[in-house]
Amino acid sequence: MLIGRQNIHNGGIGIVNEMQSGNICSNAISSFVVNEKNDLKFIFIKLSTPFVYKRIENFMGGTGQKELSENEWLKLEIKIPEKSEQKAISKILDTASSELKHYEEKLTNLKLQKKGMMQQLLTGKVRVKI
């Protein structure tokens, strides 16, 4: 998992696959390995929530861009449930995200259809009987 040490509230957290692991991208990014006691997706979701990253931001120092060093990251205490519960929560959230994505795609398609129909109606390509 990569975590941007500066301004975490801008979404500076990401999961890196094994092929990309070990590559260096910036000295302003910390790399962490989630141990076998935890579920990677859950940890990612937990750290990505505004409630958590706003709390973390309170520990950041600096006058310009706030930053939290790796040593400071390692001192943070973040409460998490047992791995089985983490996996269950991740599964529920994945299902909800998939459903939301499906409905967002459906809404986008309906908006495109509406736009096309409006263009046809306004250009006179489709006649409506009144």
Side-chain angles (χ1 to χ4, degrees), residues 2-24:
L2 296 178
I3 300 175
R5 293 193 305 255
Q6 296 175 339
N7 300 321
I8 187 173
H9 63 280
N10 290 327
I13 299 174
I15 296 174
V16 179
N17 65 33
E18 288 185 31
M19 279 183 42
Q20 295 168 328
S21 183
N23 295 326
I24 299 172

Side-chain angles (χ1 to χ4, degrees), residues 8 17-18 21 23 30 43 46 65 96 99 117 121 128:
I8 187 173
N17 65 33
E18 288 185 31
S21 183
N23 295 326
S30 294
I43 300 298
K46 177 84 172 181
Q65 290 188 341
E99 286 291 314
M117 296 277 289
L121 285 168
V128 179

Side-chain angles (χ1 to χ4, degrees), residues 3 8 38 42-43 46-47 49 51-53 55-56 59 68 73-81 86:
I3 300 175
I8 187 173
N38 294 295
F42 177 83
I43 300 298
K46 177 84 172 181
L47 292 176
T49 59
F51 175 76
V52 173
Y53 68 67
R55 280 189 46 229
I56 292 170
F59 296 99
L68 193 64
W73 266 104
L74 295 173
K75 291 179 188 176
L76 292 176
E77 287 188 30
I78 300 170
K79 294 181 181 182
I80 55 173
Q86 292 176 37

Side-chain angles (χ1 to χ4, degrees), residues 31-42:
S31 174
F32 297 96
V33 176
V34 175
N35 66 28
E36 66 279 347
K37 294 180 184 179
N38 294 295
D39 180 63
L40 177 61
K41 270 190 181 177
F42 177 83

